[in-house]
Amino acid sequence: TEDGTKTLRLTFLTEEAEEDGTESRNNYLRAEIFLSREPDAGEALEEQERLREATGAAGLEDEVVIEISGYYEGKMSREEQRIAAETLFDRMKAVRRDEIDEEELYTVYGYSSDGGEARSVAGVPVNVNLAVTYDEKMDRTVFRLGCPMIGTEY
């Protein structure tokens, strides 16, 4: 944008494969929007809809995934992480569906009626995915939120 608060990065990818002597080729357009201020879920869903409209107008099949990353300085306890996750889910009007609590990773899956398309995880609809990790080098607790799922490694 003109004020520098949003940046759009487009990446074109081609995936070629061969199976049973038949070659296939899939072309992908990855659009990433970076916000230089604190994002909110409502704005992210608006951007998701804008991308969906643009791909539809171009005749493309789409899969739009929203990812938001943020952090807290220092290492948060698991209880502090849970409270932050609950607060985030409450603000998104999301219901917790499942969680995975591992030593280095805390992951929460949920569903929000305002969250757009859902995926099925163990037969349960999910469209909110939160992962919390600790970055020792930077001494910060990192939160990654994906709708409907986080599409990058964490």
Side-chain angles (χ1 to χ4, degrees):
T1 59
E2 290 181 15
D3 64 0
T5 59
K6 292 182 191 172
T7 303
L8 173 65
R9 179 170 65 192
L10 298 175
T11 308
F12 296 91
L13 306 166
T14 300
E15 177 184 72
E16 296 178 348
E18 185 176 333
E19 186 175 324
D20 299 328
T22 303
E23 292 183 13
S24 67
R25 172 186 247 174
N26 292 309
N27 295 303
Y28 299 93
L29 168 63
R30 181 180 177 124
E32 297 173 282
I33 299 172
F34 300 92
L35 305 174
S36 62
R37 64 187 183 297
E38 184 176 325
D40 66 41
E43 182 178 13
L45 291 173
E46 288 173 16
E47 293 298 336
Q48 180 184 38
E49 187 57 33
R50 285 181 58 200
L51 285 172
R52 187 163 275 127
E53 288 173 6
T55 56
L60 302 172
E61 293 181 34
D62 67 16
E63 177 183 53
V64 179
V65 175
I66 297 172
E67 291 185 29
I68 300 172
S69 296
Y71 62 88
Y72 288 94
E73 293 295 340
K75 185 172 185 175
M76 296 175 74
S77 70
R78 184 63 82 215
E79 185 59 27
E80 291 171 321
Q81 292 174 15
R82 280 193 177 96
I83 291 168
E86 285 177 26
T87 301
L88 181 61
F89 272 53
D90 286 347
R91 290 181 73 183
M92 294 182 69
K93 299 176 186 153
V95 176
R96 179 186 310 243
R97 297 287 195 202
D98 194 11
E99 74 177 29
I100 299 171
D101 189 349
E102 298 174 344
E103 186 174 328
E104 299 297 320
L105 173 66
Y106 176 57
T107 307
V108 184
Y109 299 94
Y111 180 80
S112 172
S113 59
D114 296 336
E117 70 179 83
R119 303 249 176 97
S120 180
V121 175
V124 177
V126 170
N127 62 3
V128 179
N129 178 204
L130 176 67
V132 184
T133 58
Y134 175 67
D135 182 335
E136 288 182 11
K137 288 183 183 178
M138 300 297 288
D139 186 30
R140 58 175 60 156
T141 303
V142 180
F143 284 72
R144 288 182 182 82
L145 177 71
C147 296
M149 299 291 283
I150 299 171
T152 56
E153 291 186 31
Y154 49 88

